[in-house]
Amino acid sequence: MDLLELNKFMVLLWKNFILKRRQFFTMVAEIILTLLFAGTLLLTRTFTVIRKNGPYNYSRQPVDELPAFLGRVPYPGLWELAFVPSKSVVVRTIIEAVKRDLHYNFKVQGFPSERDFEDYVKQGNNSQRVMVAFVFDHEFKNSYDPLPLQAKYYLRFRSVQRNKYIDFDRPRSWQTGDLFPTPPSVGPRNEQDADGGSPGYFSEGFLVMQHALDKAIMRYHDLTAAQALLGDVNVFVQRFPYPEYYHDYFFNFLGILIPLVILFIFSMNHFTLVQSLVWEKENRLKHIQFLSGVYILAYWLSALLWDFIIFSASCCLLLGVFKYCQLDLFLAEYHFLDTMLIFMLYGWAAIPLMYLLSFLFTRGTSAYIKLVLFNYLSGIFSLLIDSIFEFENSHSMPNATRNFMLHLLLVFPNYNLAKCITYYTTFHQMKKWCSLKQDVAFLPCDKENTTKSIYSLEEKMIGKYLVIMSITGFTCLFLAFFWESILWKLRTFFNRYAYFGIYKTFKKKDLSKELSGDSEDEDVENERKRILEQPQVSLSSAVLVKELTKIYFKCPVILAVRNISIAIQRGDCFGLLGFNGAGKTTTFQMLTGEETATSGEVFLDGFCITKDLWKVKSRIGYCPQTDALLEYMTGREIMTMYARLWGISESQIQLYVNSWLNLLQLEPHADKIIRTYSGGCKRRLSTAIALMGKPTVILLDEPSTGMDPVARRLLWAAVTRARESGKAIVITSHRTEECDAFCTRLAIMVKGKFMCLGSPQHLKNKFGNIYTLKIKVKIDTPEHKLEDLKFFITTTFPGSVLKQENQGNLNYYIPSKDNSWAKVFGILEEAKDQFSLEDYSISQITLEQVFLTFANPENREMNV
Ligand SMILES: Nc1ncnc2c1ncn2[C@@H]1O[C@H](COP(=O)(O)OP(=O)(O)OP(=O)(O)O)[C@@H](O)[C@H]1O
């Protein structure tokens, strides 16, 4: 970036600063909304208490008592004890002994293999009534084979929990993952339940069945020894007592609340940045800035730096809230730096992603609404999907699908941020507990875990997510630059080769007729030939348009500009006249590179627009049809900004801006906010912006719309001054008298085509071979006399046309051929008394009347 580019970069930053400062109420609303979101954290902090819990002492639980739910009889029939393999007599005997020992009328049922047992429980509701299946992992060759001393067995229980404390069904598993939650709980799990509570190893009868089976196996091997050992013994289980501890319930919400609040707070920031980007695009402000010499890099980098500054302010606000909520976890010691790193990398990823998404929108409000939804939904749904995947039962999903979806979520910076916050919180919580209670069994407090770096790339650490956010930032920024620079070329390619190619194939011979339209005017044809036949250098024009065509491939197809060719020299003021929808604005848009041409070429100062777009752009001053003004700046500020972008030296700027303000008499309004300007003032300012700087070509699209006569005079004075300084001016206007007075050449455009071309006088001479005759008869003239007068005019001046008749006023077009002024005057002077004429006048046709003849082809035929 050279010094001039750096200067432009600083100007754009200054622009952003001014706009933000001026939109004070929007800024206050943003802060309030940010605080409202943060308020959920503050409220949760206020209403969640830090409670002293414990100490806990638990009572003994007898292991040989049957679970309570056995009181309910499964329909139909009895509770069942199943065993595998059924062919083993020993196993059957042992299970029968279990039944006797439990003093409960179980139906004992054997199955040849575990597979058979599974088939059985899958049928109907059979799984409901099987209390437990004892599966012996031993190969019995014969029915009477003994059980070896060392035997392995499994207990198989139904996955649906049955004890009375649970009122919902666990879908598939015993959720053993829940036993060691992240972050680990400070107190004991299910602190009120002496039997350990859910998932219910005790209350489901697991220990009872295991104990009964063990006793039966012992008795089978040595009855006497077993009797002696177990005779007077009762076995109990008892939970370890737990000391008094403090539970901060705020931490219960940490895992989900903090990521969500952060996400919502930062989303506010993204919405405003996207809205202002799309708004600049929608109102052509971005285009005008590019025309004033701003390059893509400076534009996007200045936006990035500014948005980062604003983002950092949101981060500081958030850290303030953390401090208030005593979330030392994020702030204590060097944790502050860790937290800032996470936030900054999030900003680095999320802001360029918003830039990239902004290309999808053309309207600021729709961008705002859709991105609000995208941000919130992507954040909430990615967290939701992730929590479902963390749940054990999601293992039923094929691994490849699961991994693919988890990798897909990494695209969203919101998801990465949430994961970082969750793991960061968990890691520091765990470290804290481990440093306090080395002996807590459920914490993985081994050295390997506690000395690990949080930035590690391993699972459940944040390294991976930080790396991904860094890559996302670079990628999105690169894609935004790339898209901005390639978009025009892509559109040109599609317009010229793809759509137009297909269109040509369909239209075949009709196409040239469609593009050339009616037979072409001689001057228009000569200009085309001159441009096509002469070498480009010898034309030495500031603007050279060669057979330019624009077709909008919509339904139906619109031929907006058809095959126009024109060469405009420096010092020329070329007027483009045409009715609404004639194609004037589209022509301007193609000249400025805002629209791509379907065919044909545009050269500015010898540079071809399709090859040197940016060189062409930096030579244009453009005043679009609708004002493209940064409405929260003052007139002086915006002019100073554009003067700086045009590279006017800093020492000259004040003088330079004042001279333009003076020229268009904008001084009284110079320090007012543009938003408060009248329509005419805005138009004057837009024109001044187009005229200032160092463009070679100035394009003014209906600049005098809404201006009063004084302002119009000022405008034309400024335009004439610019023209005399050697700039080429192209102007569209509906005011033909102005074009007549100020334009050196004119073209009248009808349905995308030039219908005539030449100096105003040439056009009047060519198309004005008629006079306008205005007659006023006396008020008391009888009706039949008026009719006689009409008959007299028609017969005396063959070919005359009555254009208007109103209360004794008659307007005629009469052919000038064979009718000299003297002749017409002579005839009317003689007829004055005969037809009671009060007054009459005869004049040459005006440019407006020439223009109007193109609205009505009949008149034109009469002229030509
Ligand atoms: N983006 C677009 N998509 C489709 N058609 C368009 C688009 N822009 C312009 N047109 C069509 O192209 C034709 C020329 O429009 P253009 O705006 O260039 O006319 P104009 O001469 O500037 O009219 P006005 O004097 O009202 O400004 C019109 O038929 C218009 O409907």
Side-chain angles (χ1 to χ4, degrees), residues 648-696:
I648 308 292
S649 77
E650 209 53 40
S651 57
Q652 302 275 307
I653 277 190
Q654 211 180 345
L655 214 63
Y656 185 78
V657 168
N658 282 342
S659 73
W660 279 106
L661 290 171
N662 187 24
L663 193 68
L664 285 157
Q665 288 192 1
L666 279 165
E667 269 162 338
H669 310 286
D671 297 308
K672 291 183 196 158
I673 303 289
I674 297 172
R675 218 176 150 70
T676 62
Y677 279 23
S678 67
C681 264
K682 282 185 186 170
R683 215 64 203 126
R684 265 187 276 167
L685 189 60
S686 297
T687 317
I689 289 169
L691 292 172
M692 72 191 298
K694 304 165 189 167
T696 322

Side-chain angles (χ1 to χ4, degrees), residues 8 15 64 145 147 182 219 273 296 406 512 555 614 703:
K8 287 178 186 170
K15 169 200 84 176
D64 38 19
D145 276 356
L147 186 69
T182 46
R219 286 196 186 101
L273 77 89
I296 299 174
L406 280 174
S512 63
C555 190
W614 291 94

Side-chain angles (χ1 to χ4, degrees), residues 687-845:
T687 317
I689 289 169
L691 292 172
M692 72 191 298
K694 304 165 189 167
T696 322
V697 178
I698 294 165
L699 305 173
L700 304 171
D701 198 350
E702 294 176 26
S704 58
T705 312
M707 284 190 191
D708 61 39
V710 178
R712 282 209 301 276
R713 248 164 215 274
L714 294 170
L715 162 82
W716 282 106
V719 169
T720 308
R721 204 173 89 159
R723 181 177 71 75
E724 284 167 359
S725 71
K727 293 173 180 174
I729 318 267
V730 188
I731 194 161
T732 72
S733 174
H734 292 297
R735 293 182 182 275
T736 42
E737 75 282 6
E738 287 174 355
C739 292
D740 191 359
F742 295 101
C743 292
T744 48
R745 274 204 307 162
L746 285 170
I748 295 179
M749 219 173 169
V750 177
K751 292 183 188 161
K753 242 179 91 63
F754 283 171
M755 299 308 286
C756 61
L757 177 72
S759 69
Q761 193 52 49
H762 172 75
L763 296 186
K764 281 190 283 187
N765 290 342
K766 185 171 175 179
F767 296 98
N769 48 359
I770 50 173
Y771 299 131
T772 315
L773 173 63
K774 292 184 179 173
I775 302 172
K776 189 169 192 286
V777 293
K778 288 180 180 151
I779 293 177
D780 50 2
T781 310
E783 189 65 29
H784 69 89
K785 223 172 189 182
L786 198 63
E787 290 306 315
D788 291 347
L789 172 65
K790 285 186 202 167
F791 180 73
F792 172 73
I793 298 286
T794 322
T795 48
T796 317
F797 306 112
S800 57
V801 177
L802 177 64
K803 287 304 295 177
Q804 218 176 19
E805 179 182 356
N806 185 19
Q807 294 180 348
N809 288 303
L810 304 174
N811 279 5
Y812 277 98
Y813 284 162
I814 58 170
S816 58
K817 202 170 169 229
D818 304 329
N819 293 313
S820 66
W821 288 67
K823 184 182 165 188
V824 178
F825 269 115
I827 293 170
L828 286 169
E829 205 48 46
E830 277 175 24
K832 202 171 175 184
D833 292 333
Q834 186 188 350
F835 295 106
S836 312
L837 306 188
E838 190 177 301
D839 196 10
Y840 66 88
S841 70
I842 180 155
S843 58
Q844 201 193 13
I845 194 168

